Amino acid sequence: MKGILLAGGSGTRLHPITQATSKQLLPVYDKPMVYYPLSTLLLSGIRDIMIISTPADLPQFKRLLGDGSRFGVKFTFAEQPSPDGLAQAFLIAREWLQGEACALALGDNLIHGEHLSVLLRAAAARPEGATVFACQVRDPERYGVVSFDDTGRALEIIEKPAVPDSNWAVIGLYFYDKRVSDIATTIKPSARGELEITDLNQVYLQEGTLHVERLGRGTAWLDAGTPDSLMQAATFVQTIQSRQGMLVGSPEEVAFRKGFIDADQLRTLSRQLGKTELGRVLAELADHHPVGHS
């Protein structure tokens, strides 16, 4: 399975900050925002990843991330000239995917949970259909909302409904089988002129192959796309790391625990971070913790 990290858009909800840089390069506590969805893809076991961004911002992502070798993975970069919807990612990546299954992670989504890796591996291993994840939110009208019947089976997904049928929002992480690019070519632009990911999910739902994993109280999901949510995400990461002593959204840590890199490579990465607390924690991890416990 391959992975796509979509980090495009103009970040208008964060202007004037994002008039100077990409939203996904803004700091969320001690790491750039893009590190959090990147860590999620690595946690899924995915090692071949395409990063999609705007022509103006793509050089900054290349400078930050390199070719992926320091994380034991491979990065490919592609341009999204205009933000024409999330499902456009599968058209941009179609040739690169070469008919393989794919996961899509949105560059401004932070997901953290104790048993998340188990759910991610199960979604990545599913041979057919699609898997999406849903969380309960207070303001479902801002998201794609999924409704369920009495047995828990997904009935319908509606993008930003005026009157939501439930408060379960589909979060920015999606797993699809090898048909996804072909299906994406059949999606028509919505009333707002975008290729909606909800319409793509609806195709899988109608054929009965969409799996919706509802994330419970033990999982946190933050969409860091507004000033308030950006601050909330930073506070969340700071709280977890300082009180529990565990890292959140560190691709270096995930790569080491997954066995993509060894202890010597992790020590090198920690030295590159200088005298930061993140560098200290990674050095300690390399010295005292075995690989393979993600």
Side-chain angles (χ1 to χ4, degrees), residues 9 29 49 51 81 94 118 157 160 182 209-210 273:
Y29 187 51
I49 298 169
I51 292 103
R94 187 175 189 183
V118 176
I157 302 177
K160 297 180 174 63
D182 290 337
T209 61
L210 180 72
L273 292 170

Side-chain angles (χ1 to χ4, degrees), residues 167-208:
N167 65 342
W168 286 96
V170 177
I171 69 176
L173 179 64
Y174 317 85
F175 288 78
Y176 298 102
D177 62 20
K178 62 184 181 181
R179 300 174 296 151
V180 62
S181 287
D182 290 337
I183 294 175
T185 63
T186 70
I187 302 300
K188 304 299 181 184
S190 65
R192 59 179 186 163
E194 295 190 5
L195 300 175
E196 306 287 357
I197 198 77
T198 294
D199 292 339
L200 181 64
N201 293 334
Q202 194 72 27
V203 172
Y204 284 96
L205 178 61
Q206 289 174 351
E207 71 176 25

Side-chain angles (χ1 to χ4, degrees), residues 133-155:
F133 299 85
C135 278
Q136 289 183 295
V137 296
R138 188 173 57 183
D139 49 354
E141 64 278 359
R142 291 180 52 207
Y143 306 98
V145 175
V146 57
S147 56
F148 302 90
D149 63 17
D150 293 338
T151 68
R153 182 175 63 90
L155 291 176

Side-chain angles (χ1 to χ4, degrees), residues 5-11 14 18 21-27 31-35 37 52-53 57 61 64 106-109:
L5 204 166
L6 185 56
S10 54
L14 283 164
T18 47
T21 189
S22 166
K23 170 177 64 175
Q24 292 85 3
L25 293 173
L26 295 177
K31 308 173 206 73
M33 188 187 296
V34 70
Y35 269 30
I52 298 176
S53 189
D57 293 327
F61 284 99
L64 172 68
L106 304 188
D108 60 356
N109 274 228

